Amino acid sequence: MLDPIVNFFTRMFQWIGRGIGFAVGVILWPFMWAGRWYTQRGWILKAVLGLALLMLIGLYGYFIWNTQVWSNFNPAYAEAYKFTRPAGTAPAQPAPSATGETAGVEGEVKTCTHSAIVQVTADLIDFNVNENAWISSMILYKLGLFGMDWDRTPFLDNKASFQRGVNQAIRRTTVELVDTLGRVRGTSQIDQNLQDARGAITFDEETWYFGLRPFGPKTPTPSFYRTAASSLRAFNDRLMKCEVVFNARADNLLQFVDRIASDIGSTSDLIRDRSQNFNSGWFDTRADDRFWFAYGQLYGYYGILTAAHHDFQQVLDNRGLTPLWNSVEGQLKAALAIQPLIISNGREDGWIMPTHLTTMGFYVLRVRSNLVEVRSVLDR
């Protein structure tokens, strides 16, 4: 009675085994053919091809290692800064207007000190391109997975997206340093160090070329970013020597906060679009890109806004904004505590696959809403 059933399952498993064997054979056939071809070549060609293969394996090993190892990554990094005004220095008085009267804008034009915002921005660049390899311009990242953009795969792209998010915060900050924070009035001369920093940090994130140095592929993008960090540190050195100014007035803080809120708002819109239109759970291969870009952006702004707390302390105290500013910093820190191993873009009412993307979007909106509230207080 059971023999027909047993025979059926036996034949079924035999066919499954043959199918698996056929599939494995198809996959391994090119490698087996290449192996037979290689063994029939002369020793010179074998040596050249073997060396090329070893270099390729080494290059991929280096690439994979750098995408998986995040050196000095610390979501609470801003707490390590201890910003203090150098002993014996005092804040400069607000700059006089064209009529000779003191400008009636709350805040101070600082000199003979240092800017915490400039320091943190330079440190973030150092973190991105010196303490870690800049992934987006590595040749194997640009080649992709068999020609497919790594961002469209679930592999090896999280760190690149994170770095680009941090860089977005850096770019926004350097623009504001040039336009408002690094000069007394909008009509005054632009500081050359800040101008150089802004120009260098806006360089293409993915550019590379074949250089003259050993091992072929070279990436100019990190070298441009290193130049930006050097220019920012040079500005801070000149600020300490009383050669330049940092304009920590309330109207400049208002504009700085407004621009950051707009920048974060754009990211929130990207997350919302992905979350609403691509509910594929763990199978959404672009969800991790959106998540880690937003994470990197908040990572960068966490340090920059903590630094702004120091640079604009007078404004925050006078306007009673310190508790609200502390809330912004706390929400940024809470957002950075979300570090899922695999990013899932599930439905909000789903019960099998989580919705990490929506959760990150929630934190982004919370930070933005508090920044808008800070702006409204400054605008009164």
Side-chain angles (χ1 to χ4, degrees), residues 16 35 60 69 88 119 122 142-143 163 198 305-306 360:
I16 292 175
Y60 264 102
V69 177
Q119 178 184 346
K142 293 178 66 63
L143 290 176
Q163 288 179 317
R198 179 176 66 174
L305 290 175
T306 300
M360 177 55 71

Side-chain angles (χ1 to χ4, degrees), residues 304-365:
I304 290 168
L305 290 175
T306 300
H309 194 157
H310 170 267
D311 284 347
F312 290 91
Q313 185 69 61
Q314 178 189 5
V315 175
L316 298 180
D317 290 344
N318 290 348
R319 296 294 184 95
L321 276 170
T322 299
L324 184 54
W325 199 273
N326 288 337
S327 177
V328 173
E329 294 175 17
Q331 289 171 7
L332 284 165
K333 186 177 179 180
L336 298 180
I338 307 172
Q339 300 175 41
L341 181 63
I342 301 176
I343 307 302
S344 173
N345 180 24
R347 295 176 57 88
E348 294 183 17
D349 58 351
W351 60 279
I352 296 178
M353 298 182 183
T355 175
H356 298 128
L357 209 57
T358 302
T359 302
M360 177 55 71
F362 167 73
Y363 277 101
V364 170
L365 282 176

Side-chain angles (χ1 to χ4, degrees), residues 184-196:
V184 177
R185 298 176 301 276
T187 56
S188 63
Q189 185 176 0
I190 295 175
D191 182 82
Q192 190 60 49
N193 285 134
L194 295 180
Q195 180 80 327
D196 291 344

Side-chain angles (χ1 to χ4, degrees), residues 141 150-153 157-158 161-162 164 285-294:
Y141 190 84
W150 283 109
D151 288 342
R152 296 188 177 277
T153 74
D157 58 348
N158 290 347
S161 297
F162 167 78
R164 291 195 292 264
T285 59
R286 298 304 303 270
D288 57 341
D289 307 332
R290 301 290 188 267
F291 180 94
W292 285 109
F293 178 86

Side-chain angles (χ1 to χ4, degrees), residues 38 45-63 140 215:
Y38 179 77
L45 184 58
K46 285 182 180 180
V48 172
L49 293 177
L51 182 61
L53 181 61
L54 287 176
M55 289 182 63
L56 183 62
I57 293 173
L59 195 60
Y60 264 102
Y62 176 77
F63 170 66
L140 292 182
F215 307 114

Side-chain angles (χ1 to χ4, degrees), residues 83-86 89-95 107-117 180-184 235-236 238-249 252 307-316:
F83 300 116
T84 57
R85 183 183 299 277
T89 63
Q93 297 301 316
E108 58 181 353
V109 179
K110 297 181 177 182
T111 189
C112 304
T113 181
H114 79 289
S115 165
I117 291 176
T180 57
L181 302 180
R183 51 181 177 164
V184 177
F235 173 84
N236 243 358
R238 293 170 58 221
L239 187 57
M240 289 287 293
K241 297 175 183 177
C242 313
E243 296 176 0
V244 291
V245 299
F246 181 88
N247 199 346
R249 302 188 312 179
N252 287 341
H309 194 157
H310 170 267
D311 284 347
F312 290 91
Q313 185 69 61
Q314 178 189 5
V315 175
L316 298 180

